[in-house]
Amino acid sequence: QVQLQESGPGLVKPSQTLSLTCTVSGGSISSGGYYWSWIRQHPGKGLEWIGYIYYSGSTYYNPSLKSRVTISVDTSKNQFSLKLSSVTAADTAVYYCARDVYDSSGYSLYFDYWGQGTLVTVSS
Amino acid sequence: IQLTQSPSSLSASVGDRVTITCRASQGISSYLAWYQQKPGKAPKLLIYAASTLQSGVPSRFSGSGSGTDFTLTISSLQPEDFATYYCQQLNSYPSITFGQGTRLEIK
């Protein structure tokens, strides 16, 4: 059974960089066949896809966040990470990591496994 | 691509048949998934490729549609189905988007 677990600081100061890590267990990131995504949810609001990474290091980001987002992968630790720079209060949200299944064309099909989410608050 | 769900909220009773609609601002073929989210929990995948039921999901859930118009139907509501439902499109490469959600409440 695949499991994902987010970790990182729950409080980040404005203008600083938010850093989160997602640890995958029960399966190898290096096995291929999946993208590895970050999604966030503002308090009481809907879901916003941030971006994803393939085990090779190829990344794709939401255009609205692209200038501030970096997603990286560490296959030796079976982890992938999110960095979001120059944060403001508008970046306060629950951040989820998820496994993203894609089809033969390379298009994502669905997110089948999710972490439980971690609340990150941006405040001084 | 924008996704518009309707209704935004819905009150229904146990045993009711419920339909939620998701409309895409442009065609997305069948690259649409549906998720259920309960308070404080991560979303749970219900349907993918517009109409394929995820393993382990009860058969009272079904999905249909292609192009721009999609529906999620719950044939007979159960107490555990009261939650928020989201559609997700995965065809606007490389940006994935979600609908704004439909909150299903007990009448």
Side-chain angles (χ1 to χ4, degrees):
Chain A
Q1 175 80 348
V2 175
Q3 292 185 312
L4 292 86
Q5 176 75 53
E6 305 90 352
S7 59
L11 181 63
V12 181
K13 289 181 167 35
S15 79
Q16 293 190 344
T17 296
L18 177 160
S19 296
L20 295 173
T21 295
C22 182
T23 301
V24 180
S25 58
S28 172
I29 285 181
S30 301
S31 63
Y34 310 103
Y35 302 134
W36 301 92
S37 272
W38 286 99
I39 306 99
R40 70 180 182 180
Q41 187 169 35
H42 295 103
K45 302 295 185 183
L47 298 159
E48 179 181 31
W49 176 74
I50 298 170
Y52 62 59
I53 191 164
Y54 190 56
Y55 79 94
S56 63
S58 299
T59 53
Y60 300 91
Y61 300 139
N62 185 327
S64 69
L65 296 169
K66 186 175 182 179
S67 63
R68 298 194 291 131
V69 171
T70 302
I71 298 176
S72 59
V73 64
D74 186 339
T75 54
S76 67
K77 295 182 178 179
N78 222 32
Q79 295 176 334
F80 62 106
S81 298
L82 168 70
K83 291 188 185 298
L84 181 65
S85 63
S86 304
V87 297
T88 69
D91 294 308
T92 293
V94 174
Y95 286 76
Y96 295 99
C97 56
R99 190 177 81 167
D100 177 350
V101 178
Y102 62 84
D103 68 5
S104 58
S105 301
Y107 281 104
S108 296
L109 282 175
Y110 52 86
F111 296 175
D112 59 350
Y113 290 100
W114 295 64
Q116 86 281 8
T118 187
L119 174 63
V120 179
T121 301
V122 179
S123 175
S124 56
Chain B
I1 294 178
Q2 308 245 2
L3 295 178
T4 303
Q5 289 183 232
S6 60
S8 296
S9 63
L10 174 61
S11 294
S13 301
V14 172
D16 283 354
R17 179 183 180 90
V18 166
T19 297
I20 298 169
T21 296
C22 179
R23 174 163 289 176
S25 58
Q26 60 191 77
I28 57 170
S29 185
S30 296
Y31 286 90
L32 189 104
W34 290 96
Y35 297 85
Q36 175 194 69
Q37 188 179 33
K38 296 183 178 179
K41 300 293 187 181
K44 173 188 173 184
L45 175 67
L46 300 174
I47 301 279
Y48 65 92
S51 61
T52 302
L53 193 67
Q54 170 69 347
S55 176
V57 174
S59 59
R60 62 180 179 273
F61 291 92
S62 64
S64 66
S66 67
T68 59
D69 293 312
F70 302 86
T71 60
L72 171 71
T73 299
I74 310 172
S75 60
S76 178
L77 274 174
Q78 299 301 300
E80 61 268 30
D81 299 337
F82 292 95
T84 299
Y85 293 84
Y86 293 94
C87 57
Q88 175 199 37
Q89 70 79 22
L90 307 104
N91 188 237
S92 177
Y93 189 80
S95 188
I96 294 166
T97 52
F98 293 87
Q100 82 278 15
T102 294
R103 185 175 178 181
L104 179 53
E105 301 174 319
I106 301 174
K107 184 182 288 184

